[in-house]
Amino acid sequence: MESMTNPSMETADKLHVVMFPWLAFGHMIPFLELSKVIAQKGHTVSFICTPRNIDRLPKLPPNLAPLINLVKLQLPKVDKLPDNAESTIDLPYDEVKYLKMAYDQLQQPMTQILADLAPDWVIYDLAPYWLGPIATKLGISSVFFSVTIAASVCFISPVQILKGLSGEDDRNTPEDFTVPPKWIPFKSNIAFWLFEIKRVFEDASTANDENVPVTYRFGAGIEACNVLAVRSSYELEPEWLKLLEEIHQKPIIPVGQLPTMGYDSCDNDEAWIEMKEWLDKQPQRSVVYVVFGSEAQPSQAELTEIALGLELSELPFFWVLRIRRVMPDSEVIQLPRDEG
């Protein structure tokens, strides 16, 4: 965070930064890790999230805990949202829209919190597209933090297209997204596989009209911020970070991959001991790590294909597999049986 170009970030002895992530663990954990990085520099962080999610976060390292204040913000009740559902992990995919509806009702409470705390900066996620203008009105500098790499942010398009305010995007069919868009000026093979983008189109066609589209949220969030931060580095994708700055005309800060700063000791966990012993025996950079995060779950057919593909690769792999997305009605997926 020291690289931010705002003079107050460079001269102040101690800053107060508010963090406000979307309610998915694939977002909350990177936001928490970024909070730790900021706290390591001696700044104070207010990490704002719902009570149940805060209770489920990893414990903070003792040396950083005094600088990171975990603020519990109650999620409003909305129709069809179960009482204890505070994260995407608590819901079937088609019910996440109700979580977004409840989340959007946090505008007034967040306005009051920011007014009361009067932080130097607020760092927000893609879902609260409404927070940037609130921060501006309160005189608070803001950062839009993308938990994905710069290439993916470049691919999804400029702000005006994301917000549906421009006719420049001629991508109308799934096939159009299987090649790089026209605003990428260099050779690249980054694009969707057809089966991936078909699913995106199917999800969009069944979306509830009451929800603000995720593309609009992303575009409005970027448009309103002072600085755009991405979970990336110049060593990983220098050309994409440069393009991202050209597209959005905002300062870009790559914050790194933000690996988890572990605190909870696993030394007495027998399962972890066994896994660690196996990992220690593998050659460096030889193990394939497979994980789909807290929101995505492959179908049984997809899981079987992935498992067979990993087997055919003959590479050692470490797979974090969630066999059930949410209780009690989700499909339970299972690894294919070894017929050998």
Side-chain angles (χ1 to χ4, degrees), residues 227-239:
V227 175
L228 176 56
V230 286
R231 196 175 172 190
S232 183
S233 67
Y234 282 108
E235 292 81 5
L236 175 66
E237 46 173 5
E239 72 279 27

Side-chain angles (χ1 to χ4, degrees), residues 16-56:
H16 182 192
V17 180
V18 164
M19 308 291 287
F20 191 53
W22 165 232
L23 305 180
F25 278 90
H27 292 244
M28 290 183 281
I29 296 300
F31 267 74
L32 185 64
E33 294 305 319
L34 183 55
S35 299
K36 295 177 187 177
V37 172
I38 295 170
Q40 282 183 325
K41 305 295 184 180
H43 307 304
T44 301
V45 176
S46 292
F47 186 97
I48 301 173
C49 201
T50 61
R52 188 166 182 237
N53 287 326
I54 283 182
D55 291 342
R56 291 186 286 186

Side-chain angles (χ1 to χ4, degrees), residues 11 41 43 50 53 61 69 74-75 87 92 94 125 149-150 161 191 205 214 229 241 262 268 275 289 310 317 335 339:
T11 59
K41 305 295 184 180
H43 307 304
T50 61
N53 287 326
N69 183 26
Q74 192 65 49
L75 194 68
S87 168
D94 59 354
D125 210 335
I149 61 174
I161 293 175
S205 67
V214 66
L241 288 164
N268 297 321
M275 288 186 284
Y289 179 55
L310 286 168
F317 62 88
L335 288 170
E339 302 296 338

Side-chain angles (χ1 to χ4, degrees), residues 139-204:
I140 301 168
S141 299
S142 62
V143 180
F144 179 97
F145 174 35
S146 170
V147 299
T148 61
I149 61 174
S152 64
V153 183
C154 289
F155 185 91
I156 59 175
S157 72
V159 163
Q160 294 301 99
I161 293 175
L162 283 167
K163 293 178 66 179
L165 301 177
S166 172
E168 295 178 7
D169 191 359
D170 54 6
R171 298 178 296 177
N172 299 308
T173 69
E175 288 76 11
D176 293 334
F177 289 81
T178 61
V179 295
K182 59 187 178 184
W183 52 81
I184 295 178
F186 44 80
K187 187 175 180 180
S188 170
N189 59 1
I190 291 182
F192 282 96
W193 290 101
L194 185 58
F195 75 91
E196 293 174 325
I197 192 61
K198 278 186 173 180
R199 177 174 290 183
V200 174
F201 268 66
E202 289 169 2
D203 290 343

Side-chain angles (χ1 to χ4, degrees), residues 67-306:
L67 292 172
I68 301 176
N69 183 26
L70 301 176
V71 181
K72 294 183 177 181
L73 180 59
Q74 192 65 49
L75 194 68
K77 291 184 179 294
V78 300
D79 290 342
K80 299 182 181 179
L81 182 66
D83 288 341
N84 291 324
E86 295 186 12
S87 168
T88 56
I89 200 174
D90 302 323
L91 295 161
Y93 180 78
D94 59 354
E95 293 183 16
V96 170
K97 57 193 174 190
Y98 304 123
L99 186 65
K100 290 179 181 177
M101 292 176 193
Y103 189 82
D104 284 342
Q105 291 186 27
L106 294 175
Q107 293 185 46
Q108 193 283 326
M110 275 301 298
T111 301
Q112 190 61 53
I113 286 174
L114 290 178
D116 292 342
L117 293 178
D120 299 283
W121 289 83
V122 58
I123 302 179
Y124 61 90
D125 210 335
L126 67 90
Y129 65 99
W130 34 264
L131 193 57
I134 291 172
T136 299
K137 189 175 293 186
L138 293 172
I140 301 168
S141 299
S142 62
V143 180
F144 179 97
F145 174 35
S146 170
V147 299
T148 61
I149 61 174
S152 64
V153 183
C154 289
F155 185 91
I156 59 175
S157 72
V159 163
Q160 294 301 99
I161 293 175
L162 283 167
K163 293 178 66 179
L165 301 177
S166 172
E168 295 178 7
D169 191 359
D170 54 6
R171 298 178 296 177
N172 299 308
T173 69
E175 288 76 11
D176 293 334
F177 289 81
T178 61
V179 295
K182 59 187 178 184
W183 52 81
I184 295 178
F186 44 80
K187 187 175 180 180
S188 170
N189 59 1
I190 291 182
F192 282 96
W193 290 101
L194 185 58
F195 75 91
E196 293 174 325
I197 192 61
K198 278 186 173 180
R199 177 174 290 183
V200 174
F201 268 66
E202 289 169 2
D203 290 343
S205 67
T206 58
N208 191 302
D209 291 338
E210 292 181 81
N211 274 325
V212 178
V214 66
T215 50
Y216 185 92
R217 292 176 186 270
F218 213 106
I222 292 176
E223 183 179 47
C225 74
N226 299 109
V227 175
L228 176 56
V230 286
R231 196 175 172 190
S232 183
S233 67
Y234 282 108
E235 292 81 5
L236 175 66
E237 46 173 5
E239 72 279 27
W240 291 102
L241 288 164
K242 181 180 178 182
L243 177 60
L244 191 62
E245 186 171 11
E246 292 173 358
I247 289 174
H248 294 293
Q249 295 294 299
K250 292 179 184 287
I252 305 296
I253 297 182
V255 298
Q257 288 298 295
L258 300 175
T260 302
M261 298 182 195
Y263 168 62
D264 290 338
S265 176
C266 299
D267 294 343
N268 297 321
D269 187 317
E270 292 185 6
W272 167 244
I273 291 172
E274 183 179 354
M275 288 186 284
K276 186 176 184 302
E277 288 177 350
W278 178 83
L279 284 167
D280 287 342
K281 293 176 183 177
Q282 309 308 313
Q284 191 174 23
R285 298 183 179 181
S286 69
V287 178
V288 177
Y289 179 55
V290 185
V291 63
F292 294 101
S294 60
E295 293 200 44
Q297 177 178 305
S299 67
Q300 182 61 60
E302 291 168 334
L303 176 80
T304 300
E305 289 300 314
I306 293 167

